[in-house]
Amino acid sequence: MTSQPAMTLMETAAPARQGSVVNIERSERELRRQLTRFSKWMYRLGFAPGTSGNLSVRLDEESILATPTGCSKYLLRPSDMVIANLNGKLLSGTRNVTSEIGMHVAVYAARPDVQAVVHAHPPIATAFASCGMALDQPLCAELLMTLGKIPLASYATTGTDEVGASLEPYLLDHDAILMANHGLVTYGQDLLDAFMKLETTEHFAQVCLAAHQLGCATPLGEEAIGKLQQARLRYRSNCRM
Ligand SMILES: [Zn+2]
């Protein structure tokens, strides 16, 4: 029997290093696919007409992967996504960063638990935002328990620091924020979570609109609201674990 020569440190370390590089590449590829999938989904639901709306996800501790500016969400391909730092500056990509990147980086800065941010202009929720109305009436039990009241951030000019400043008062206690005369931003532990909050908010806006059209919307009472708020605290702590 011939004995095998002992492996040098270089030889043993190389496969592990290659493996981690491969894993990082795989996870970026997967996130590019996810951004493409949710972009199309958002477009099909009518939440992002034209070239509006944008999505992002944390790539690592220093960068995010995001949809680029000026593209239909229906036509995006994985290779169109851009990488930006946590100040919103382009690091790599063949397209430009969205002018709304400030909204995304404000969320990531305030909420280390957040992994993904979605911004869109769903029509009914945006109508509420354009009428200066928050979605804060206690009409639906499940919404109170999951998202709570959805506040309305003051109007801010797109592409300026005003956007992050307008969201700041609500970021810690809310996962969905209406933006006055603009749209909606939601965020969560991954793209699916952020997207579901977007969809849920638009559905609640439709329910609110219909309830008020019926003329007899009946808000929940204080006792019911208190119980739901307790349930929400448990729900949020479970989600952030
Ligand atoms: Zn927008």
Side-chain angles (χ1 to χ4, degrees):
M1 251 174 78
T2 56
S3 61
Q4 295 289 324
M7 291 178 91
T8 65
L9 185 61
M10 285 294 284
E11 286 168 330
T12 53
R17 196 166 56 240
Q18 283 171 358
S20 67
V21 170
V22 169
N23 286 340
I24 289 167
E25 285 172 354
R26 273 191 194 136
S27 83
E28 182 180 329
R29 209 179 317 149
E30 174 55 25
L31 291 173
R32 285 175 182 271
R33 282 201 202 102
Q34 285 186 22
L35 282 171
T36 308
R37 191 182 314 143
F38 286 108
S39 292
K40 282 190 167 57
W41 198 346
M42 201 160 92
Y43 178 89
R44 285 189 182 126
L45 286 171
F47 294 175
T51 61
S52 67
N54 32 73
L55 307 88
S56 71
V57 62
R58 278 191 205 270
L59 196 53
D60 54 40
E61 289 178 359
E62 294 167 357
S63 61
I64 57 176
L65 187 65
T67 53
T69 188
C71 296
S72 163
K73 299 299 154 304
Y74 184 72
L75 298 174
L76 278 178
R77 299 160 302 176
S79 59
D80 292 324
M81 305 308 165
V82 296
I83 297 175
N85 66 18
L86 292 177
N87 292 318
K89 295 282 177 283
L90 182 71
L91 294 178
S92 75
T94 56
R95 297 179 179 273
N96 286 327
V97 176
T98 168
S99 61
E100 295 187 310
I101 198 73
M103 178 194 321
H104 295 248
V105 299
V107 177
Y108 291 121
R111 292 281 300 272
D113 58 307
V114 164
Q115 296 297 318
V117 178
V118 172
H119 165 63
H121 305 157
I124 308 300
T126 303
F128 273 81
S130 300
C131 291
M133 297 169 72
L135 287 165
D136 56 0
Q137 274 208 305
L139 290 178
C140 292
E142 185 162 335
L143 191 99
L144 273 179
M145 201 179 80
T146 53
L147 280 176
K149 294 178 178 179
I150 299 164
L152 174 68
S154 56
Y155 178 74
T157 308
T158 299
T160 70
D161 293 343
E162 291 173 20
V163 177
S166 72
L167 297 175
E168 204 271 331
Y170 309 106
L171 287 170
L172 286 185
D173 294 325
H174 300 274
D175 292 344
I177 304 173
L178 286 179
M179 305 166 71
N181 303 89
H182 185 166
L184 171 66
V185 60
T186 60
Y187 34 93
Q189 59 191 347
D190 53 31
L191 276 168
L192 178 63
D193 186 34
F195 185 82
M196 290 299 170
K197 287 168 180 165
L198 178 77
E199 198 176 37
T200 299
T201 302
E202 175 64 359
H203 180 258
F204 180 60
Q206 290 175 5
V207 170
C208 285
L209 179 62
H212 285 290
Q213 284 172 334
L214 289 169
C216 48
T218 309
L220 288 163
E222 288 301 319
E223 188 182 345
I225 293 170
K227 288 178 182 172
L228 289 165
Q229 284 173 337
Q230 288 302 315
R232 180 167 185 253
L233 289 175
R234 289 194 298 276
Y235 175 83
R236 276 167 66 89
S237 61
N238 285 340
C239 287
R240 289 193 187 188
M241 277 197 314

